[in-house]
Amino acid sequence: MTRQINVFVENKPGRLRRVTSILHDQDINIHAVEIQDRGEYGVIKLLVNDPQKAHVALADAGWAAALKDILAVVVEDRPGTLCELAGCLDDNHINVADAHGFTLEPGREAVLCVEVDNLEEATRIVTENGFRVLGEKELYDL
């Protein structure tokens, strides 16, 4: 199961630096980051090479962090592929609760990290529709 780290932080200067310095000290590589503003607080979502180690390091340092299961779907980096992926999920009544993406190779491949209720069903659906899902090793070794 692929996972990301969600870190809950006060929305104040220096929080991103503090979180990332903990990961740096543990030699954890950050592949992707998303920051969501929630007023006085926010969420830093991190895709890292070792989510379990990152979770422990952040928790030991007193940060409220959670491991979140995600589906990492490889899509072609061209117009319309996100629409195609969204369509196959929608056609099968799979709700996307959260998502973020990044390009692996411009003009060739991108990855969409998707949070859904039923990961097993969503995995089956997207693979049956021709999408490739990254396993833990593939995603964490990017």
Side-chain angles (χ1 to χ4, degrees), residues 76-92:
E76 288 181 55
D77 185 22
R78 63 166 173 79
T81 56
L82 179 55
C83 183
E84 292 167 16
L85 176 60
C88 87
L89 293 171
D90 181 42
D91 289 346
N92 290 278

Side-chain angles (χ1 to χ4, degrees), residues 10-81:
E10 281 185 278
N11 194 357
K12 291 185 176 179
R15 298 303 185 251
L16 180 61
R17 183 179 188 180
R18 290 187 184 124
V19 167
T20 58
S21 70
I22 291 166
L23 301 179
H24 174 262
D25 291 345
Q26 294 295 313
D27 198 33
I28 295 169
N29 190 29
I30 300 169
H31 296 304
V33 62
E34 177 185 359
I35 299 173
Q36 294 182 338
D37 178 9
R38 301 281 192 229
E40 291 183 37
Y41 291 87
V43 180
I44 301 172
K45 296 180 179 192
L46 300 160
L47 191 60
V48 299
N49 65 322
D50 191 337
Q52 186 63 42
K53 183 178 178 182
H55 182 254
V56 169
L58 290 165
D60 285 351
W63 292 91
L67 286 169
K68 195 69 173 172
D69 294 334
I70 59 166
L71 183 65
V73 183
V74 177
V75 296
E76 288 181 55
D77 185 22
R78 63 166 173 79
T81 56

